[in-house]
Amino acid sequence: MNTQVCIIGAGPAGLLLGHLLRAEGIECVVLERQTGDYVLGRIRAGVLETITVDLMERLGLDGRMKEEGLWHDGFNLADGERLIRIDMADLVGSRVMVYGQTEITRDLMDACEERDLEVIYEAQDVTLHDVEGDAPYVTYSKDGAEYRIDCRMIAGCDGFYGPSRQAIPASVGKEYERVYPFGWLGILADVPPCNHELIYANHERGFALASMRSTTRSRYYIDVPLTEKIEDWPDERVWDELAVRLGAEAAESMVRGPSIEKSIAPLRSYVFAPMRHGSLMLCGDAAHIVPPTGAKGLNLAASDVHYAAEALTALFKHADNDAVVRYSDKALARVWKSERFSWSLTNLMHRFPEDGPFERAMQVAELDYIANSRAAQTSIAENYVGLKV
Ligand code: APR
Ligand code: PHB
């Protein structure tokens, strides 16, 4: 098979890029290792920045999101005593959309046939070849047969563990990494949220987050040591811990219910640079990971894909290779700022095992500063709704 762009991975990054390219009349094929149902089974964050909402709008795939999603004008930081409300609408004239990432992926998947975006699921042994030159190709196997896709460009949208980043020689790339000494235990339940907006809490027993998927489905998290086993956390224990960490007011309105999903995820900050090598461009989790504090993962994938689609459009429609050459610098400038925000919100809202009284005093001072400074709140709001692309 011959195509212009071979996209590896049908997560939100790969599907979004595929649709943006098809909208420009660019030929592409998406290769995905898993089945579509498996991809939809992954539970991820659900807060969309302006860039993500705009891309869905531009594609005309925003119908269900606009109907079922919830616009949030603000969110809250809780410091054990008070709720500090960050009023994004008032501070920066913008807001976020609460709509599950699974739903975005489903909307993108459902539109593939109609938009003529070919996705090959259950593609095994996907391997990238000759990425350094102008005629790369990708091989894979499916149902016992071997296939080869010749293309001009490869988009590596295959997440943190995919083969694309590995195809860049270690001598060319540099890794930046921070691993955090705790994980987030998440619980999803069909109960109304305890607050109409999100609450991120820093309590002496640890971090907690009250989030939601809809007015009838809640998503909550607490941080736990990485040594914890999910079997040791029956639902009641999670609810009890949430009630303490989120504070009396939230606890009072919190409705408990059986978990639909419950798991522990590690937290990591990671950046791989450069994000392009030869004819290979990396987008989304393939190039970077953020801790979930601030919900930047999907949104960062969306901004990468926006820059990548722009560059590939310039290449294929105007024979202009400059944007491809500049892609990495452009994408990384925004990636680093989102990395910084996610890292700083993680540092502010979690109790680290190595912290002493000084570090704790710094958190108290910073939260008090934020509570009393419009300038500090504006900076947080500006980052939370998403920096301009
Ligand atoms: N061959 C083909 N596909 C692969 C391979 C492979 N060897 N390895 C991984 N993939 C697929 C995965 O199965 C997955 O569907 O690549 C896809 C990558 O999707 P995500 O991990 O969701 O990454 P991305 O699309 O960059 O998403 C960015 O959304 O899913 C979240 O946590 C993620 O918040 C981040 C954002
Ligand atoms: C979620 O709803 O899953 C969520 C929301 C905000 C975050 C992280 C996760 O910062």
Side-chain angles (χ1 to χ4, degrees), residues 102-120:
T102 312
E103 305 312 317
I104 287 272
T105 311
R106 190 188 304 279
D107 294 342
L108 292 166
M109 260 184 197
D110 287 351
C112 284
E113 204 176 312
E114 175 203 315
R115 307 268 171 118
D116 198 19
L117 173 60
E118 186 181 358
V119 183
I120 299 169

Side-chain angles (χ1 to χ4, degrees), residues 86-93 369-381:
I86 308 294
D87 188 335
M88 300 174 284
D90 174 48
L91 292 160
V92 293
Y369 169 54
I370 294 165
N372 293 293
S373 160
R374 189 175 168 91
Q377 291 179 13
T378 304
S379 167
I380 292 175

Side-chain angles (χ1 to χ4, degrees), residues 68-70 72 98 187-196 211-220 239 255-260:
E68 296 175 15
L70 306 168
H72 280 205
V98 172
I187 185 169
L188 187 69
D190 276 327
V191 291
C194 67
N195 191 295
H196 71 288
S211 179
M212 67 193 76
R213 292 289 174 272
S214 68
T215 51
T216 56
R217 182 169 281 190
S218 300
R219 179 72 166 155
Y220 288 98
W239 292 118
V255 182
R256 301 178 181 216
S259 61
I260 315 171

Side-chain angles (χ1 to χ4, degrees), residues 43-47 98 184 198 200 207 209-213 219-221 291-296 345 384:
I43 312 273
R44 280 99 184 230
V47 178
V98 172
W184 275 20
L198 273 63
Y200 293 83
F207 170 82
L209 167 60
S211 179
M212 67 193 76
R213 292 289 174 272
R219 179 72 166 155
Y220 288 98
Y221 300 91
T293 334
K296 293 294 174 211
L345 199 57
Y384 200 85

Side-chain angles (χ1 to χ4, degrees), residues 267-341:
L267 271 68
R268 183 198 300 269
S269 294
Y270 174 92
V271 177
F272 182 89
M275 284 174 61
R276 180 196 61 90
H277 179 63
S279 300
L280 168 63
M281 296 161 98
L282 301 177
C283 300
D285 280 17
H288 41 72
I289 297 286
V290 284
T293 334
K296 293 294 174 211
L298 167 65
N299 297 300
L300 213 42
S303 65
D304 288 352
V305 158
H306 165 76
Y307 296 130
E310 230 174 39
L312 291 167
T313 303
L315 176 67
F316 290 111
K317 293 186 79 169
H318 310 292
D320 170 7
N321 193 42
D322 284 1
V324 168
V325 172
R326 283 196 309 270
Y327 166 71
S328 178
D329 285 347
K330 206 163 174 180
L332 280 169
R334 194 169 186 282
V335 165
W336 277 119
K337 293 183 194 94
S338 280
E339 288 282 347
R340 186 208 67 82
F341 180 67

Side-chain angles (χ1 to χ4, degrees), residues 8-14 31-34 39 42 44 101 123 126 157-163 283-286 297-298 301:
I8 304 177
L31 289 179
E32 167 59 51
R33 186 166 55 130
Q34 307 287 356
V39 172
R42 290 192 289 238
R44 280 99 184 230
Q101 184 173 315
V126 170
C157 303
D158 45 359
F160 188 63
Y161 298 102
C283 300
D285 280 17
L298 167 65

